[in-house]
């Protein structure tokens, strides 16, 4: 509420100011104010906004800050190894997702566009490999296959990947607007999309099928892990109830599954 009042006051003041010099100074102050708001961190325990996570007195000598809301350490993962963070992510702990989505990616705010594109490319590549595993079992591959049949398989795979993910994003946007009552500004949707892409890290387990032989059911087990991880990430970003987040993610994944099965 205080933020909205201050933004309205700055907007009215900018309109009333007539001199270009004063307008430029006021505009610089507005940009600095918004950058300060965007660079705020979050407490991993309760999600409350905080200005800084730690105070560094000397190299290697830091003091972790406490949250003013819950009185706990704002982010204890700063002093933890990467493996501890990965284990907590696998265990679907919301505080680990807050650490990654708010406090780690906050440092990459200026490069968030590049990070979004890299995550999207990695997501599509892994999804293409998943579609290839589902469509063409190992025993059907052989030297007797013609070039035209191989080209037809890859064309269907690419169609399933791009069309399926397009429908996934459209249904995901519709679900968060209808079920979660979340506004769909571009910046807001970009953060939600980045959270879903990063929380789909379980797709990396598909690369293990290049080395070891697993039954096809493992692919669908990985899909369930991706669905659950997306649900936790969506709950952390939107602060909605778990049931609504499960419904939104389930609708998006179900539509994507139906689209891909229709072209099987």
């Amino acid at each position: 509420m205080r933020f909205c009042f201050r933004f309205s006051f700055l907007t009215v003041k900018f309109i009333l100011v007539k001199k270009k010099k004063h307008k430029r100074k006021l505009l610089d102050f507005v940009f600095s104010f918004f950058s300060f708001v965007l660079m705020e961190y979050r407490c991993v325990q309760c999600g409350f906004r905080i200005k800084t996570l730690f105070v560094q007195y000397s190299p290697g000598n830091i003091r972790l800050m406490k949250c003013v809301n819950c009185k706990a350490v704002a982010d204890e993962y700063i002093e933890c190894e990467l493996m501890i963070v990965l284990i907590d992510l696998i265990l679907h702990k919301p505080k680990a997702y807050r650490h990654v989505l708010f406090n780690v990616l906050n440092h990459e705010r200026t490069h968030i566009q590049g990070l979004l594109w890299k995550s999207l490319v990695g997501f599509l590549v892994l999804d293409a490999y998943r579609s290839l595993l589902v469509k063409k079992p190992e025993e059907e591959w052989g030297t007797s296959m013609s070039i035209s049949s191989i080209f037809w398989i890859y064309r269907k795979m690419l169609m399933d990947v791009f069309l399926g993910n397009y429908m996934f994003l459209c249904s995901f946007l519709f679900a968060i607007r209808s079920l979660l009552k979340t506004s769909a500004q571009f910046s807001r949707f970009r953060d939600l999309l980045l959270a879903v892409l990063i929380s789909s890290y379980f797709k990396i387990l598909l690369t293990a099928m290049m080395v070891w032989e697993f039954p096809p059911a493992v692919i669908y087990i990985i899909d369930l892990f991706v669905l659950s991880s997306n649900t936790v990430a969506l709950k952390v970003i939107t602060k909605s109830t778990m049931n609504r987040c499960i419904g939104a993610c389930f609708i998006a994944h179900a539509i994507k599954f139906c689209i891909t099965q229709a072209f099987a």
Side-chain angles (χ1 to χ4, degrees), residues 1-8:
M1 188 68 181
R2 187 181 301 175
F3 172 78
C4 297
F5 175 75
R6 190 167 185 180
F7 173 69
S8 303

Side-chain angles (χ1 to χ4, degrees), residues 2 40-53 63-75:
R2 187 181 301 175
E40 283 186 340
Y41 298 98
R42 297 291 182 92
C43 173
V44 297
Q45 304 293 338
C46 62
F48 192 77
R49 292 179 181 269
I50 57 175
K51 295 181 181 179
T52 183
L53 299 174
R63 176 190 176 188
L64 299 181
M65 303 300 294
K66 291 186 177 182
C67 177
V68 297
N69 185 39
C70 63
K71 308 301 179 183
V73 176
D75 192 350

Side-chain angles (χ1 to χ4, degrees), residues 10-43:
L10 291 173
T11 305
V12 174
K13 189 175 180 180
F14 178 77
I15 296 174
L16 294 178
V17 172
K18 296 181 178 180
K19 293 184 178 180
K20 293 183 178 180
K21 184 178 180 180
H22 295 289
K23 274 192 174 183
R24 187 176 302 173
K25 290 182 179 180
L26 184 60
L27 203 58
D28 292 338
F29 175 75
V30 171
F31 286 151
S32 62
F33 173 73
F34 273 105
S35 63
F36 171 76
V37 171
L38 289 176
M39 290 303 293
E40 283 186 340
Y41 298 98
R42 297 291 182 92
C43 173

Side-chain angles (χ1 to χ4, degrees), residues 4-200:
C4 297
F5 175 75
R6 190 167 185 180
F7 173 69
S8 303
F9 173 76
L10 291 173
T11 305
V12 174
K13 189 175 180 180
F14 178 77
I15 296 174
L16 294 178
V17 172
K18 296 181 178 180
K19 293 184 178 180
K20 293 183 178 180
K21 184 178 180 180
H22 295 289
K23 274 192 174 183
R24 187 176 302 173
K25 290 182 179 180
L26 184 60
L27 203 58
D28 292 338
F29 175 75
V30 171
F31 286 151
S32 62
F33 173 73
F34 273 105
S35 63
F36 171 76
V37 171
L38 289 176
M39 290 303 293
E40 283 186 340
Y41 298 98
R42 297 291 182 92
C43 173
V44 297
Q45 304 293 338
C46 62
F48 192 77
R49 292 179 181 269
I50 57 175
K51 295 181 181 179
T52 183
L53 299 174
F54 62 91
V55 177
Q56 184 173 3
Y57 297 104
S58 61
N61 183 17
I62 64 174
R63 176 190 176 188
L64 299 181
M65 303 300 294
K66 291 186 177 182
C67 177
V68 297
N69 185 39
C70 63
K71 308 301 179 183
V73 176
D75 192 350
E76 68 270 18
Y77 289 107
I78 295 176
E79 295 183 336
C80 295
E81 297 291 337
L82 179 61
M83 187 58 63
I84 303 297
V85 180
L86 292 177
I87 292 174
D88 285 352
L89 287 174
I90 295 174
L91 294 176
H92 290 4
K93 291 186 177 181
K95 61 180 184 179
Y97 282 84
R98 290 191 186 99
H99 168 75
V100 174
L101 297 177
F102 291 118
N103 298 339
V104 174
L105 297 183
N106 218 354
H107 293 286
E108 303 294 334
R109 182 65 67 175
T110 55
H111 307 286
I112 196 169
Q113 194 71 24
L115 181 62
L116 181 63
W117 282 109
K118 291 178 183 178
S119 302
L120 183 60
V121 170
F123 180 86
L124 292 177
V125 170
L126 291 174
D127 208 26
Y129 181 64
R130 177 201 174 278
S131 178
L132 187 63
L133 291 174
V134 172
K135 283 185 174 297
K136 202 65 180 175
E138 185 179 357
E139 61 269 14
E140 296 186 14
W141 290 94
T143 56
S144 60
M145 294 183 62
S146 61
I147 298 178
S148 59
S149 60
I150 296 176
F151 177 76
W152 174 253
I153 291 173
Y154 277 100
R155 190 176 72 172
K156 287 179 64 179
M157 180 190 68
L158 293 177
M159 183 181 299
D160 291 352
V161 169
F162 286 102
L163 181 60
N165 284 290
Y166 175 76
M167 294 302 299
F168 170 76
L169 294 179
C170 292
S171 56
F172 178 74
L173 176 61
F174 174 77
I176 63 175
R177 290 189 62 182
S178 58
L179 294 180
L180 306 183
K181 308 299 181 182
T182 303
S183 58
Q185 291 91 0
F186 175 73
S187 60
R188 180 65 172 171
F189 179 67
R190 183 181 60 183
D191 293 339
L192 291 171
L193 177 60
L194 183 60
V196 170
L197 293 177
I198 292 178
S199 62
S200 301

